Amino acid sequence: MFLNKLYLFFLLFCGAIFSQVDLEKKQDTTNINSNNQLDEVIVTATRTKRQLSSLPMPVTLITKKQIKEIGSVRLRDILLEQTGVTLVRENAGNSEGIQLQGIAADYTLIMIDGVPVVGRTAGNIDLNRITVNNIKQIEIVKGPSSSLYGSEAMGGVINIITERPKNDTFKGQYHVLTRGGSRNELDINSNISYRKSKLGIIGGVNLNSSGGFDLTPQTSPKTVYPHQNYTLNAQVLYDISNSLNFDTSFRYYNQDQFISSGITNSQTDFNSNTKLIHKLSDRWNIDYTFYATRFKTISDFYGNTSLFDRSLFRPEIRSDYSFLNTATLIFGGGVNIDALDRTFIDKGKKFKAWYGFVQLDFNPTEKINIVYGARYEGSDSYQSAFTPKISANYELNDIISVRGSVGYGFKIPDFRQLFFNFRNVNNGYIVLGTHTINDEITNGLDTVVQVERNLKPESSIGYNFGFQIKPVEGLRININAFRNDINDLIDSYDTKLLSRSLEDLSPEVVEVQKELRRRIGISEDRHIRVFTYRNFKETFTQGIEVDINYKINKNLRFLAGYQFLDTGNKVEIDEIKKGVYYKDENGISQKLDPSAYFGLANRSRHMLNAKIFYENFQHKFAVNLRGIYRSEFVPMDSNNNDLIDTYDNFVKPNTQINFAVNKELFGLVNLQFGIDNLFNYDGLNNKELFNFSNPNGGGVVPNESFLQLGRSYYVRTQINI
C-alpha cells in the first residue's frame, strides 16, 4: 500500500516553499552548565519547570536530540530503549503496552502536552498511532503519580511535550523515511513554525503507510497489517496582553487498515486543548483549561460491524503561587465527563467525576527539597479515592544526593468492568459488568448472592529511594530501589449463578433460577457460566534501577541502564504454601516448591540497555550504536496450575543491536542511514517452535511469538529550512 499521491505532492510543494526561509539553528533541551554537568528542565513530575538533577523522584528525560539521532518515527521505538520501560505484547489480540517498574500498561498514563491519550485495547494504548513529529522531549515519571494526574497514573506517567514557536522565527522542516528489510514502510513529515510579536503558529502533518509485514510467520496474527494513516497537528498562541495569554492546539489521527479479505479496521483519534493563562503577578498564575478528546474505531468482520467510541471532556482550573522565594503552591480542580459507546455495552455509558488537588514544593534549607501533594476524586459510578504523595531530595555534598518518595495511586474501574454485556451462549458463558448484572439480572432477587455494584478503584502504594552520584565531571549515576504494592485489583470470576441443575434445588430456588434464565434469555435446561468482576487480587513489584549518563567529551556520550525486577501475586504465594499441584511435561503430578515460583506473567527479571553516541562537529556527521537486552519471561501459564513457575514455557532471552549514522549537508539537509536488529537475532533454536531446554524442565518459546524481531534498515532525508 502506498501513500496517496496527492498528499505526497502537497508535502513536496510545502518543502519547496519552506526552502526560501533561512535555517534557524536547532537547540536541544540538554544544556551544559559552567561545571559541565547535565542541566535538563522537565515539567511533568511537579507540573512546574524543574531541573532534572534536583527532582526527588525517579524521572527519565528523552531529548529531541536523542530522538533525532536514533531515527525513530513512532513512540514505541523510542521507549523500547529506556531503562525500566518494557513493551509487552498481549497473548490475546495484537495489542502492545508499556510496563513501568513491572506495573502493567493499564496503570501507565500517556499524555501529550499534559493531557491524556484515550482509547485502550485490552488496557493498552496503541503507540504506533503516536508519531514523534514535532516532539520537543519525552518525560517519564516512574511510580504513583495519581496525586497530580488521577486515574491510570498508578504506575507512572509518560508525557510527550511538543515544540512551541520561538520569538521572531519562521522555519520549516520536511523529511522522508523509507524502511526496508523485514519491514515495508514509508513515513513523511512536514512542519512549519512561525512567531512574530504576539502571534505564534505551529502546523504539521505526518503520513505513514505500510504494505504490512510478519516477523512471526509461525504464529498469528501478523506483526503489522497493511495500513495507511495520517496525523495533523496545529497550535496557535496569542498574547492578548502582558498578563493574559491564549493557547489552543489540536491533533487529528486517521488510519485505515486492511487485515484480510472481509476484515478491515478504521481508527480516528482527535483531541483539542484550549488554555487561557492569566498572570496576576510575578508570583501568581491562574490557568483555565478545556480539554476534549475522542477515539473511535470501527471494525468490520465479514459484514459484522464492531464499534468502540470513547470521548472525554475536561474543564480544569489550576493556580500556582510562589512565595518566600523558596516555595511554590499549586492547587486546582476540575470535572471529567467520560463517555463510551461500544458494541456489547447497551445504550452508551457515561462517567462523571470531580476532583481537586494541591501540591507544595518548597526548600526548607538550601540543600533540602520537599514536595507534598494530594488529590481527592469523587464520582457517580465508583467509590471515591484520596491519593497523597510526599517526596524529598537532600544534597549531601556536590557529589551525592539522596532522594525518596512515597505515594498512593489509584485506577478507576473501566466501562467494561461496570457495563459489559457480552453473551456467548453457544459456548456456555456470558460476561456482565457489575452494574449490568445488578440492574438487569439480580435486581429484586434477594435469595441470590448479590454482586457489589460499585467496584472500588484499584489502589497502590509505591516507594522509591535512591541516590544521584556525580563522581567526576560530566558523569551522572542514578540508583533507585522501588517497591509497589497494588491492592483491590479487579478481575473476573464465575458467579456460579446458573451452574447447578434445577432438579437439585428447592421449589423456591427453582423459581428464582427460572427468573434468572428468563432475564438472561436462555432456556431452563441450559447450564451456563455467568462471569462478572470484583476486587480481590493483591500483587507487588520490586527491584532496583541503575542509570548512567556520561558525557566523556564534547564528541562522545555514553548512556546505560539496568533493571532487576521481582514480582508476585500475594494470593498465589499463599496458595503455594498450602500446596499447589501441577502435571509436569511427563504428565506426573508434582507439588510446587516455593523457590520455583517465578512471579507475574510477561515480566523479565533482568533488562539492560547501552548506547554510545559520537558526533563530529568539524565534518558534520554522527554515529550511534545501541543495544537492548531482556532476559527470559513467561507469557502465560502453560502447565495449568494457574500461576507462573519455572516449569512453564519461557520466552528466550533477547538481545538487539541498533545502529545509525547521520550526515549534514549544506547546513540544510540531514541524511540518515540505520539498521535495527543489526545481527538479525531471531530467538530460535534450530527453528523449533518449542525447545524444552529449560534447566528446570520448562519449555522455551521463540521470541517471535511475543516480540517484533527481524533485521530492518532505513534511509531518512530531513530538510530544515
Side-chain angles (χ1 to χ4, degrees):
M1 185 180 298
F2 295 94
L3 289 171
N4 189 297
K5 294 181 179 180
L6 180 61
Y7 293 146
L8 182 57
F9 174 80
F10 170 76
L11 287 178
L12 291 171
F13 178 72
C14 290
I17 294 176
F18 295 159
S19 65
Q20 302 175 35
V21 189
D22 291 334
L23 172 68
E24 178 187 64
K25 186 175 181 180
K26 300 176 293 296
Q27 294 182 348
D28 182 26
T29 55
T30 303
N31 299 308
I32 306 299
N33 61 25
S34 58
N35 295 321
N36 199 32
Q37 295 293 341
L38 297 173
D39 187 17
E40 298 146 323
V41 176
I42 74 161
V43 297
T44 308
T46 62
R47 294 185 76 162
T48 58
K49 290 184 178 181
R50 287 288 306 271
Q51 290 183 2
L52 178 63
S53 58
S54 67
L55 282 168
M57 64 278 292
V59 178
T60 298
L61 174 66
I62 309 169
T63 68
K64 183 175 183 177
K65 185 174 183 178
Q66 293 178 36
I67 296 171
K68 174 187 171 183
E69 287 175 331
I70 65 178
S72 297
V73 296
R74 286 294 181 269
L75 181 62
R76 71 167 305 280
D77 298 323
I78 300 169
L79 297 177
L80 186 63
E81 299 184 359
Q82 310 307 314
T83 304
V85 180
T86 316
L87 294 175
V88 174
R89 183 169 295 278
E90 296 295 332
N91 304 329
N94 196 33
S95 64
E96 188 178 51
I98 299 173
Q99 289 179 8
L100 292 182
Q101 295 184 342
I103 298 178
D106 307 51
Y107 311 105
T108 299
L109 179 64
I110 299 178
M111 303 189 297
I112 298 177
D113 288 328
V115 291
V117 177
V118 303
R120 294 179 179 268
T121 302
N124 302 326
I125 295 290
D126 180 10
L127 300 178
N128 287 316
R129 79 178 203 243
I130 303 178
T131 174
V132 301
N133 186 23
N134 199 37
I135 289 183
K136 177 183 178 183
Q137 62 192 53
I138 301 171
E139 301 174 0
I140 305 172
V141 182
K142 300 173 185 174
S145 300
S146 294
S147 61
L148 277 179
Y149 297 105
S151 180
E152 296 183 5
M154 197 161 80
V157 174
I158 297 175
N159 192 13
I160 301 147
I161 299 175
T162 60
E163 284 280 12
R164 297 172 67 87
K166 299 179 175 64
N167 292 333
D168 296 326
T169 59
F170 182 30
K171 66 175 182 177
Q173 185 184 81
Y174 169 76
H175 75 241
V176 178
L177 180 142
T178 59
R179 190 182 294 271
S182 63
R183 304 190 186 187
N184 179 12
E185 183 180 19
L186 174 64
D187 190 271
I188 302 175
N189 262 333
S190 184
N191 291 294
I192 183 172
S193 176
Y194 169 82
R195 180 78 189 199
K196 187 68 174 179
S197 185
K198 296 182 178 182
L199 179 64
I201 299 174
I202 288 181
V205 58
N206 171 259
L207 306 177
N208 180 274
S209 72
S210 173
F213 56 91
D214 192 4
L215 306 180
T216 62
Q218 74 278 22
T219 63
S220 179
K222 285 186 175 182
T223 305
V224 171
Y225 288 101
H227 67 264
Q228 179 171 300
N229 63 54
Y230 63 90
T231 304
L232 306 174
N233 61 274
Q235 182 178 25
V236 177
L237 312 172
Y238 185 73
D239 298 333
I240 300 174
S241 68
N242 292 333
S243 61
L244 197 61
N245 306 106
F246 175 79
D247 183 343
T248 185
S249 62
F250 83 89
R251 173 181 174 271
Y252 179 80
Y253 168 87
N254 177 273
Q255 174 173 278
D256 293 315
Q257 190 174 51
F258 176 82
I259 298 174
S260 68
S261 178
I263 306 177
T264 59
N265 178 274
S266 65
Q267 291 183 0
T268 57
D269 182 11
F270 172 80
N271 61 69
S272 67
N273 190 33
T274 300
K275 183 185 298 185
L276 196 64
I277 305 167
H278 191 186
K279 299 178 182 178
L280 299 178
S281 68
D282 292 339
R283 295 177 176 269
W284 192 5
N285 294 337
I286 299 179
D287 293 356
Y288 308 90
T289 303
F290 180 77
Y291 175 67
T293 184
R294 183 181 184 185
F295 175 79
K296 183 177 181 180
T297 179
I298 300 176
S299 301
D300 186 83
F301 186 82
Y302 298 107
N304 296 317
T305 301
S306 178
L307 171 70
F308 183 98
D309 189 356
R310 171 88 182 274
S311 63
L312 171 66
F313 299 93
R314 173 184 293 174
E316 180 181 284
I317 181 172
R318 190 197 82 180
S319 180
D320 57 274
Y321 178 69
S322 300
F323 58 98
L324 301 177
N325 296 322
T326 59
T328 301
L329 179 66
I330 298 175
F331 56 95
V335 177
N336 285 327
I337 303 173
D338 201 350
L340 176 67
D341 186 8
R342 178 185 177 181
T343 305
F344 307 125
I345 291 183
D346 297 335
K347 300 178 182 179
K349 301 299 178 181
K350 183 179 292 186
F351 284 164
K352 292 181 181 178
W354 47 92
Y355 61 89
F357 59 89
V358 62
Q359 177 184 269
L360 178 62
D361 183 348
F362 67 104
N363 294 75
T365 71
E366 185 179 348
K367 293 183 176 293
I368 298 177
N369 174 240
I370 298 175
V371 180
Y372 176 77
R375 179 185 178 107
Y376 177 83
E377 181 165 319
S379 170
D380 62 352
S381 302
Y382 51 87
Q383 297 183 21
S384 61
F386 176 70
T387 50
K389 182 176 181 177
I390 186 169
S391 308
N393 182 65
Y394 176 50
E395 295 183 13
L396 291 174
N397 49 48
D398 293 338
I399 298 176
I400 301 177
S401 297
V402 183
R403 58 183 58 173
S405 66
V406 180
Y408 284 82
F410 77 98
K411 180 181 179 296
I412 65 174
D414 62 32
F415 286 96
R416 172 178 50 92
Q417 294 159 347
L418 296 182
F419 303 116
F420 209 41
N421 192 347
F422 178 79
R423 300 169 186 244
N424 194 340
V425 177
N426 291 334
N427 288 325
Y429 75 95
I430 65 174
V431 184
L432 304 174
T434 58
H435 282 219
T436 303
I437 198 171
N438 274 274
D439 298 343
E440 301 180 19
I441 308 300
T442 63
N443 185 31
L445 301 178
D446 296 333
T447 59
V448 175
V449 176
Q450 296 298 313
V451 174
E452 186 69 36
R453 187 175 188 274
N454 289 337
L455 295 169
K456 293 186 290 185
E458 298 172 296
S459 62
S460 73
I461 180 170
Y463 308 88
N464 285 272
F465 178 80
F467 302 88
Q468 182 175 102
I469 305 172
K470 304 174 184 177
V472 297
E473 191 173 283
L475 174 62
R476 184 179 66 209
I477 302 172
N478 285 309
I479 303 172
N480 182 62
F482 60 89
R483 164 88 182 196
N484 296 286
D485 288 289
I486 307 173
N487 302 311
D488 295 320
L489 281 180
I490 299 172
D491 206 350
S492 61
Y493 74 103
D494 188 350
T495 63
K496 300 183 179 179
L497 283 175
L498 304 177
S499 60
R500 293 177 293 174
S501 173
L502 297 182
E503 291 80 7
D504 301 331
L505 305 177
S506 65
E508 179 184 1
V509 178
V510 166
E511 291 303 314
V512 173
Q513 289 286 306
K514 289 181 179 179
E515 176 62 15
L516 285 173
R517 283 171 165 79
R518 186 191 69 78
R519 294 183 181 184
I520 292 174
I522 62 172
S523 61
E524 295 182 2
D525 59 346
R526 288 296 305 269
H527 292 180
I528 194 165
R529 302 176 72 185
V530 180
F531 291 89
T532 188
Y533 300 89
R534 64 180 175 179
N535 300 95
F536 73 102
K537 282 190 174 182
E538 298 181 356
T539 65
F540 68 86
T541 71
Q542 60 188 7
I544 189 168
E545 296 172 336
V546 180
D547 266 304
I548 300 173
N549 191 328
Y550 186 23
K551 186 176 177 65
I552 301 171
N553 54 47
K554 69 176 184 179
N555 303 101
L556 197 60
R557 288 176 293 134
F558 175 73
L559 307 175
Y562 167 76
Q563 177 185 268
F564 169 77
L565 179 66
D566 177 40
T567 66
N569 183 314
K570 297 176 184 178
V571 175
E572 293 175 350
I573 293 174
D574 290 340
E575 291 296 318
I576 291 174
K577 293 177 181 178
K578 296 176 184 178
V580 172
Y581 291 85
Y582 69 98
K583 290 185 178 181
D584 62 19
E585 64 270 20
N586 298 315
I588 301 174
S589 181
Q590 301 279 357
K591 183 177 180 179
L592 187 68
D593 189 273
S595 63
Y597 181 65
F598 194 78
L600 302 180
N602 273 328
R603 271 77 172 179
S604 295
R605 288 186 173 169
H606 305 279
M607 292 194 302
L608 177 69
N609 67 81
K611 317 177 190 75
I612 188 163
F613 297 88
Y614 172 76
E615 188 169 5
N616 189 303
F617 297 99
Q618 180 180 359
H619 299 289
K620 296 183 179 180
F621 75 91
V623 180
N624 65 78
L625 192 66
R626 312 177 316 276
I628 312 165
Y629 170 80
R630 181 181 180 187
S631 66
E632 69 275 6
F633 63 93
V634 180
M636 68 187 80
D637 172 43
S638 60
N639 59 2
N640 299 318
N641 61 351
D642 296 324
L643 50 82
I644 304 300
D645 55 56
T646 55
Y647 299 94
D648 283 307
N649 291 323
F650 280 70
V651 173
K652 292 172 55 180
N654 168 248
T655 302
Q656 294 187 48
I657 304 296
N658 304 323
F659 164 82
V661 57
N662 298 269
K663 171 64 178 174
E664 184 178 314
L665 301 174
F666 315 116
L668 293 174
V669 180
N670 185 277
L671 298 178
Q672 184 176 56
F673 173 77
I675 302 176
D676 291 340
N677 197 12
L678 182 63
F679 298 109
N680 200 27
Y681 183 85
D682 61 11
L684 293 175
N685 265 348
N686 300 321
K687 304 297 180 183
E688 296 175 354
L689 183 60
F690 290 92
N691 178 21
F692 290 96
S693 59
N694 187 291
N696 295 312
V700 178
V701 186
N703 282 322
E704 282 89 340
S705 302
F706 299 93
L707 301 176
Q708 294 188 12
L709 300 178
R711 182 191 294 128
S712 66
Y713 56 85
Y714 58 89
V715 178
R716 182 177 184 177
T717 303
Q718 179 172 310
I719 304 173
N720 302 290
I721 305 110

